[in-house]
């Protein structure tokens, strides 16, 4: 699994949009995999929050210089939606669904922390995103503890 290489702030914003979009799709798929209504509601709530994160990055993207090539080979990256959805298809239990989501949040947190240390983009925004993703992690972990 390849970790994306980001060369500039424009690429960071584009990748962040993809990460948040794949997070939304992942949580929607996880919601569809469980018959537990409260767990499904949690996943759908997190999907909505991922969409809000994506919109924050999209607002930055619209301010970036136009004409910059920020194309990314989505299929080879850690946050590829297709890969995530394939993996979700093999998950059977509520605990495994939660573990999958927790690992995904940790991947995102670590990626954003790495980007905050590279100097690309708005460090304050990245720190804010890290806090939001950490909130997701703790919410998921709390539910898992109650199983």
């Amino acid at each position: 699994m390849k970790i994306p290489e980001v060369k500039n702030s424009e690429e960071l914003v584009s990748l962040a949009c993809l990460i948040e979009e794949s997070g939304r799709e992942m949580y929607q798929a996880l919601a569809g995999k469980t018959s537990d209504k409260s767990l499904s509601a949690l996943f759908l709530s997190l999907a909505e929050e991922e969409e809000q994160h994506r919109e924050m990055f999209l607002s930055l993207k619209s301010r970036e210089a136009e004409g910059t090539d920020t194309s990314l080979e989505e299929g080879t990256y850690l946050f590829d939606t297709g890969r995530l959805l394939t993996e979700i298809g093999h998950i059977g239990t509520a605990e495994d669904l939660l573990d999958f989501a927790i690992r995904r949040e940790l991947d995102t947190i670590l990626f954003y922390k790495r980007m905050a240390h590279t100097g690309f983009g708005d460090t304050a925004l990245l720190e804010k995103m890290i806090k939001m993703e950490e909130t997701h992690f703790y919410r998921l972990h709390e539910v898992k503890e109650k199983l």
Side-chain angles (χ1 to χ4, degrees), residues 90-127:
H90 301 290
I91 299 173
T93 68
E95 184 174 6
D96 289 341
L97 292 172
L98 286 163
D99 283 339
F100 183 84
I102 288 168
R103 282 192 308 274
R104 173 36 176 78
E105 290 296 343
L106 288 174
D107 289 343
T108 304
I109 292 165
L110 291 173
F111 177 76
Y112 285 146
K113 283 187 177 195
R114 178 177 173 213
M115 291 300 99
H117 293 291
T118 65
F120 294 137
D122 182 342
T123 304
L125 176 63
L126 285 168
E127 292 298 331

Side-chain angles (χ1 to χ4, degrees), residues 39 42 98 102 134-147:
L39 188 54
L42 170 64
L98 286 163
I102 288 168
E134 286 173 339
T135 300
H136 291 181
F137 169 82
Y138 290 120
R139 285 174 63 191
L140 291 162
H141 197 279
E142 214 172 89
V143 171
K144 185 181 173 196
E145 294 277 316
K146 294 177 183 177
L147 288 183

Side-chain angles (χ1 to χ4, degrees), residues 8-15 18 61 64-65 67-73 77:
N8 55 52
S9 59
E10 292 84 11
E11 284 186 1
L12 172 61
V13 170
S14 291
L15 184 57
L18 287 174
K61 189 174 183 178
E64 298 292 339
T68 304
D69 180 18
T70 58
S71 60
L72 299 165
E73 296 177 28
Y77 292 124

Side-chain angles (χ1 to χ4, degrees), residues 28-80:
Q28 289 171 337
L30 290 171
K33 284 286 289 184
T34 182
S35 59
D36 181 321
K37 291 184 194 263
S38 65
L39 188 54
S40 180
L42 170 64
F43 289 145
L44 291 174
S45 170
L46 291 170
E48 289 175 23
E49 290 180 23
E50 296 292 355
E51 178 59 21
Q52 291 168 1
H53 299 172
R54 187 181 75 84
E55 288 173 9
M56 285 181 3
F57 279 114
L58 279 174
S59 72
L60 288 177
K61 189 174 183 178
S62 67
R63 290 186 253 162
E64 298 292 339
E66 295 203 17
T68 304
D69 180 18
T70 58
S71 60
L72 299 165
E73 296 177 28
E74 185 181 358
T76 62
Y77 292 124
L78 179 63
F79 303 102
D80 177 58

